[in-house]
């Protein structure tokens, strides 16, 4: 929502599916049945050999995904030590002098990976910095997953000179998150009444992204304010780790914000627009925001997983009821990602090159690591 745009105080404004939208705040007799807390789901049985145990877990996940779109995952396979140590290295990354961070500014990566300097996110001078990494098969740390074509351009950028332990720690974390997220896709399949491996075909080489956010302490005490604009995530799933500073809030059907404060060693999990489309709207991508007044820095670490870049996604036939018409158009995942990464950054050098060479509907994910395809 552009600054200065009139807003009706009786509505909540957000971005979902790439478009600005709004919803009325419903109270009293107008209020609908909706959630007022985020369910907590114990994942201790995730890797248990018995299908029955996973099915029980899937039932809880399905209920939360359908009615809330968010849940806490506790007792996950991700080790507590990794979780305890990760925030230390992230804090050190953002504490570096600006000139060191700017060496890996996201304008230097074709996929806009690397450091994104502080941005004005609201009318009160609120700032937030971020760092993002994702699929990059030129990196030895990803060779178990796939290998890049000869001559491929690398997409990730690391502070190898100034903070070498950062890359090591992020990859140690990534290597635990990647199989966990893929396993969760199998739980989603079970929860939707499909065979356990039914969705794996869409996620052979899933697009992944860790975009860590740093919300600095506010210099003077203010009322809580929006530090991240309300939005729905567009991927398949998001596994969010937060430090011990609250701020995340989730929007229910009545337009009321429900807090999702951190629970130590746990993840806040939510489904995105791709799952909403697969399920023809049955599992909605729920809107959320960060709203706080910070006297301590807040760090968050979402791990986003989406289908493979060559997937053309649409509502799954096997989930449509008789006579149900698909309500979501086909989307090419790779193209959608390029649009999200670059279309939203008009001054990024790669966006300029893409715009000069191709119409948006011809943008393809492969071009990012093989810019020769632009010619
Ligand atoms: O910082 C947070 O807690 C939320 C981050 C988020 O929603 C996002 O990056 O999509
Ligand atoms: Fe989000």
């Amino acid at each position: 929502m552009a600054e200065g745009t009139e807003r009706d105080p009786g509505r909540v404004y957000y971005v979902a599916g790439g478009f600005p939208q709004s919803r009325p705040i419903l109270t009293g007799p107008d209020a609908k049945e909706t959630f007022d807390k985020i369910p907590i789901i114990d994942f201790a049985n995730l890797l248990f050999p018995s299908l029955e145990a996973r099915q029980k877990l899937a039932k809880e996940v399905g209920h939360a995904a359908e009615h809330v779109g968010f849940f806490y995952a506790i007792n996950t396979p991700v080790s507590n030590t990794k979780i305890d140590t990760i925030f230390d290295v992230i804090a050190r990354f953002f504490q570096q002098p600006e000139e060191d961070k700017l060496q890996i500014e996201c304008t230097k990566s074709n996929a806009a990976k690397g450091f994104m300097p502080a941005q004005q996110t609201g009318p009160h001078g609120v700032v937030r910095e971020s760092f993002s990494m994702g699929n990059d098969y030129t990196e030895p740390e990803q060779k178990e997953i796939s290998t890049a074509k000869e001559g491929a351009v690398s997409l990730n950028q690391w502070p190898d000179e100034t903070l070498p332990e950062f890359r090591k720690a992020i990859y140690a974390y990534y290597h635990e998150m990647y199989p966990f997220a893929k396993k969760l896709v199998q739980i989603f399949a079970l929860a939707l009444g499909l065979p356990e491996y039914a969705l794996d075909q869409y996620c052979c080489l899933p697009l992944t992204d860790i975009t860590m956010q740093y919300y600095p302490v506010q210099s003077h005490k203010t009322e809580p304010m929006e530090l991240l604009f309300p939005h729905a995530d567009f991927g398949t799933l998001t596994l969010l780790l937060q430090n011990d500073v609250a701020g995340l809030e989730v929007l229910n059907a009545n337009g009321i914000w429900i807090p999702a404060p951190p629970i130590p060693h746990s993840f806040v999990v939510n489904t995105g627009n791709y799952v909403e489309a697969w399920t023809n709207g049955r599992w909605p991508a729920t809107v959320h925001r960060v709203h706080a007044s910070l006297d301590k820095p807040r760090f968050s670490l979402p791990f986003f997983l989406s289908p493979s870049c060559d997937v053309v996604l649409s509502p799954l036939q096997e989930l449509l009821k008789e006579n149900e018409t698909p309500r979501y158009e086909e989307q090419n995942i790779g193209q959608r990602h390029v649009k999200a990464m670059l279309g939203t950054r008009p001054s990024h050098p790669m966006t300029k090159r893409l715009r000069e060479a191709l119409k948006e509907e011809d943008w393809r994910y492969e071009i990012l690591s093989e810019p020769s395809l632009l010619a």
Side-chain angles (χ1 to χ4, degrees), residues 62-253:
H63 191 270
E66 186 164 344
H67 300 286
V68 184
F70 268 77
F71 57 88
Y72 286 97
I74 63 167
N75 294 324
T76 73
V78 181
S79 67
N80 289 349
T81 359
K82 294 254 163 36
I83 294 176
D84 287 336
T85 53
I86 195 104
F87 287 111
D88 170 59
V89 78
I90 294 171
R92 280 191 284 140
F93 173 78
F94 287 108
Q95 275 159 9
Q96 294 182 107
E98 192 72 2
E99 72 219 52
D100 287 353
K101 291 185 280 188
L102 287 175
Q103 281 182 27
I104 54 164
E105 193 179 357
C106 58
T107 45
K108 297 179 187 170
S109 153
N110 285 350
K113 301 296 177 210
F115 171 65
M116 195 192 302
Q119 315 140 64
Q120 185 99 10
T121 58
H124 308 287
V126 178
V127 290
R128 163 170 59 87
E129 296 179 18
S130 53
F131 170 90
S132 171
M133 61 78 68
N135 298 49
D136 184 342
Y137 301 134
T138 67
E139 300 202 312
E141 294 92 337
Q142 295 192 31
K143 75 170 189 309
E144 301 281 303
I145 302 170
S146 188
T147 38
K149 282 199 191 142
E150 183 84 18
V153 171
S154 57
L155 302 173
N156 287 337
Q157 302 187 87
W158 298 99
D160 287 335
E161 310 278 301
T162 54
L163 195 67
E165 60 271 36
F166 180 78
R167 176 173 179 162
K168 224 171 143 217
I170 300 303
Y171 263 119
Y173 180 71
Y174 183 87
H175 287 141
E176 292 204 359
M177 294 304 287
Y178 187 88
F180 174 36
K182 284 191 75 162
K183 192 78 199 158
L184 203 42
V185 172
Q186 296 177 354
I187 297 294
F188 283 3
L190 287 177
L192 289 165
L194 300 172
E196 187 167 18
Y197 305 112
L199 298 174
D200 287 10
Q201 58 182 309
Y202 305 109
C203 300
C204 300
L205 287 176
L207 292 178
T208 55
D209 188 291
I210 295 181
T211 299
M212 53 200 80
Q213 309 276 6
Y214 163 42
Y215 303 87
V217 172
Q218 282 154 259
S219 48
H220 38 266
K221 191 83 189 137
T222 59
E223 287 299 302
M225 60 169 82
E226 235 161 50
L227 304 175
L228 184 66
F229 192 76
H231 66 281
D233 291 347
F234 71 82
T236 297
L237 59 89
T238 306
L239 293 154
L240 180 85
L241 196 60
Q242 320 172 59
N243 72 340
D244 58 352
V245 180
L248 181 67
E249 297 183 343
V250 179
L251 191 65
N252 75 11

Side-chain angles (χ1 to χ4, degrees), residues 329-340:
E329 283 175 11
E330 284 190 343
Q331 356 179 21
N332 175 294
I333 299 297
Q335 187 180 94
R336 176 77 183 78
H337 275 250
V338 179
K339 283 187 189 168

